[in-house]
Amino acid sequence: MRAITVPCASAWTLRSRSNNEWQGACHNAAMAQTSRAFINVGTLVGDHARAAMLLTLMDGRAHTASELAGVAGISPQTASSHLRRLLDGGILAVAVQGRHRYHRLASTEVADMLEGILRFSDQRPSLSPRTIRVDAGFRRARSCYQHLAGEYAVAISDHLLGTGAITASADHWQLTAHGADVLRAVGEPLAELMARSPKVKPERYCRGCLDCTERRPHMAGMVGEAMLQSFLLNRWLHRLEGRRELRVTPAGQAAFRRLFDVGD
């Protein structure tokens, strides 16, 4: 039988085509896997009951299944089923304390994703006089996961940026020595944070977070979280039961004017 010899150029072409086909198959498989993950996350947050529970958890606190069931208007058994899906999907985390299980958002990345959806949707229904008052309070001051959002938060950030207390770069904000002094005067736990240099990524330490109502950045990261905690401990802000809205107290109004030139 006569042997068939494949020219070197043809052999190289076959190998090249095989490599290209293999790379294309790998790319398609990776894209399919990413698409499935994308769809899974969309499905998890797209349900009405789960969305209601997730928006409640945007206040940065942990809640029991019964509390979240009440918010969503469903039975505790149904809520437990929804919460299990969110836990399995990495959207929520749970802490066990005695007989109680407390659910919270799994990470700041999850909170950022939810806040981004809110910014994109931003579809508000017609407002009754009562709803307008609630909406005005929500816009004024609220929790954005574990940091402050709303008009006061944006105005405070504008002041700190305008006075050189912080400088903004593409992916994070940098505190200056002057900024550390200003924030140290707010009190604990912010003062303690200003006294040390945590070994974390710059964007985890301090960054801007685009406000979903004001469409300008407020402060997030560890500095933003410690700032909100200090405001609450100082009784400059007061939490409203079952809501993300925060009430600015008279003491808070005076402090915000004095420290950040913010107020009515």
Side-chain angles (χ1 to χ4, degrees):
M1 179 180 293
R2 182 179 173 184
I4 300 176
T5 303
V6 179
C8 291
S10 298
W12 181 87
T13 301
L14 290 172
R15 286 197 301 271
S16 177
R17 181 180 298 169
S18 177
N19 287 338
N20 289 339
E21 290 173 350
W22 179 81
Q23 291 172 357
C26 289
H27 174 74
N28 291 338
M31 285 296 293
Q33 184 176 1
T34 301
S35 297
R36 284 194 296 271
F38 187 87
I39 292 169
N40 288 341
V41 172
T43 301
L44 283 173
V45 303
D47 176 86
H48 284 288
R50 291 195 289 271
M53 292 190 284
L54 290 171
L55 289 174
T56 298
L57 291 168
M58 281 291 287
D59 66 1
R61 292 179 287 182
H63 295 266
T64 65
S66 296
E67 291 170 339
L68 294 170
V71 168
I74 55 179
S75 69
Q77 293 79 7
T78 303
S80 295
S81 175
H82 284 302
L83 291 170
R84 172 50 55 190
R85 292 191 62 180
L86 292 169
L87 286 166
D88 291 343
I91 302 295
L92 296 186
V94 66
V96 179
Q97 186 170 327
R99 295 179 301 167
H100 299 289
R101 291 166 59 87
Y102 293 92
H103 299 81
R104 59 174 177 80
L105 298 185
S107 65
T108 55
E109 287 77 11
V110 172
D112 288 345
M113 174 188 69
L114 297 175
E115 190 74 6
I117 294 172
L118 287 172
R119 284 195 300 269
F120 181 78
S121 57
D122 192 29
Q123 294 185 11
R124 299 188 176 276
S126 299
L127 301 176
S128 65
R130 177 181 179 278
T131 313
I132 288 172
R133 289 195 296 272
V134 172
D135 194 65
F138 183 84
R139 292 195 62 159
R140 186 181 182 85
R142 65 183 181 278
S143 56
C144 176
Y145 189 42
Q146 295 178 338
H147 57 266
L148 179 64
E151 294 170 351
Y152 266 82
V154 170
I156 289 170
S157 295
D158 284 348
H159 174 80
L160 294 173
L161 286 164
T163 58
I166 53 177
T167 57
S169 61
D171 59 352
H172 71 278
W173 287 1
Q174 178 71 47
L175 267 75
T176 65
H178 166 61
D181 289 339
V182 171
L183 297 183
R184 195 175 292 116
V186 171
E188 301 298 346
L190 192 55
E192 195 274 334
L193 182 62
M194 294 299 99
R196 58 188 177 90
S197 300
K199 298 185 183 302
V200 296
K201 293 180 179 180
E203 61 270 22
R204 176 68 189 100
Y205 185 70
C206 187
R207 63 181 175 83
C209 175
L210 187 62
D211 197 281
C212 70
T213 57
E214 303 310 297
R215 302 306 176 95
R216 303 205 320 278
H218 56 244
M219 185 183 293
M222 294 174 65
V223 177
E225 293 165 11
M227 178 182 286
L228 175 57
Q229 290 304 310
S230 294
F231 290 170
L232 290 167
L233 288 174
N234 292 343
R235 301 185 188 278
W236 296 349
L237 294 174
H238 175 71
R239 289 191 184 275
L240 300 181
E241 186 63 32
R243 287 154 61 179
R244 288 176 61 192
E245 181 183 338
L246 299 166
R247 182 172 62 84
V248 182
T249 67
Q253 291 174 355
F256 294 146
R257 276 194 298 268
R258 174 172 52 86
L259 291 172
F260 308 112
D261 194 25
V262 173
D264 299 330

